[in-house]
Amino acid sequence: EKCLRNFLESPVCSWIFMKALTNKSNWLIEPGGYGETRLSGLKAYCKMDFLFPVDKHIHILDWKTGRKNTYKHTRQLIGYATAAENNFGIPSDVIFPKIVYLQPSFDELELRITENDLKAFFNDVRNQTDEMLSYCADPQRNTPKPIDAFPMSPSKGTCGHCNYRELCFPGENWGSEGPVFDNDR
């Protein structure tokens, strides 16, 4: 209820109804699938919530109901812009991605995308792909190397959703929702 109220009372809601609604036939709302895009043959997953034109610009909105993470969310917005440019041929200088935080209070994180942002994102995807492939005995068949070739995590916080977290932290009480930490209580 709070998220909905924060959105309905926000300037972005008014703006959507005043400017974006006139071209709703060109809206893209949560496309099916996982948001896979290809960048020079490399896979990246960039599933945006809402893409729409206003005048000669393309806006991308992503709704957040959780904690603000400026670094992570900035990278996410750059990924969305990369996918929009790559999948739809939209030039980066007309793409305006924005995170809309709906709780605890309304807030926004908007980026002005540059070609350097897109190049850096591609380089990150290439480096991450190379790292993943380095753990394959046979990359063509996606056959992993033996388990001792994988580094154990030094941080429980990064393991919350990993299906193999018991390997790094044997005997830990993970609970059904991930690790249980004193500061989570």
Side-chain angles (χ1 to χ4, degrees):
E1 183 181 330
K2 184 176 187 177
C3 291
L4 186 56
R5 186 178 315 114
N6 284 342
F7 171 68
L8 292 174
E9 294 172 358
S10 72
V12 77
C13 179
S14 299
W15 177 75
I16 288 170
F17 280 100
M18 299 282 289
K19 296 289 260 175
L21 194 60
T22 60
N23 198 356
K24 70 179 180 178
S25 63
N26 289 315
W27 288 7
L28 177 64
I29 301 173
E30 277 198 41
Y34 297 105
E36 181 179 313
T37 188
R38 298 285 176 145
L39 307 172
S40 297
L42 303 175
K43 285 184 193 178
Y45 294 91
C46 309
K47 186 168 182 172
M48 54 196 89
D49 290 343
F50 186 19
L51 179 143
F52 57 97
V54 172
D55 299 325
K56 296 182 189 253
H57 298 121
I58 299 297
H59 296 270
I60 301 170
L61 299 183
D62 191 60
W63 315 107
K64 297 290 183 207
T65 58
R67 227 180 293 164
K68 211 184 249 192
N69 182 330
T70 303
Y71 174 77
K72 178 182 172 184
H73 296 156
T74 296
R75 302 296 305 152
Q76 191 174 7
L77 291 174
I78 294 168
Y80 294 156
T82 303
E85 181 185 64
N86 190 60
N87 295 345
F88 306 118
I90 301 167
S92 62
D93 63 333
V94 300
I95 301 171
F96 294 89
K98 180 188 298 193
I99 299 281
V100 177
Y101 298 97
L102 298 174
Q103 71 176 0
S105 61
F106 179 86
D107 200 2
E108 298 177 13
L109 170 65
E110 185 169 11
L111 293 185
R112 182 76 172 120
I113 299 298
T114 67
E115 277 301 314
N116 286 337
D117 292 327
L118 302 180
K119 287 177 187 173
F121 183 82
F122 172 76
N123 287 333
D124 287 347
V125 169
R126 186 182 58 222
N127 292 336
Q128 291 169 4
T129 301
D130 290 345
E131 182 182 4
M132 286 189 307
L133 291 174
S134 76
Y135 292 112
C136 289
D138 182 352
Q140 295 296 346
R141 295 181 183 209
N142 198 25
T143 306
K145 290 181 177 177
I147 197 159
D148 59 356
F150 293 83
M152 294 175 67
S153 174
S155 168
K156 290 181 189 177
T158 60
C159 300
H161 300 288
C162 176
N163 292 329
Y164 305 101
R165 58 187 172 236
E166 306 83 28
L167 297 173
C168 296
F169 302 98
E172 292 289 327
N173 175 17
W174 291 93
S176 62
E177 298 297 316
V180 177
F181 302 112
D182 288 338
N183 61 352
D184 287 344
R185 296 188 176 124

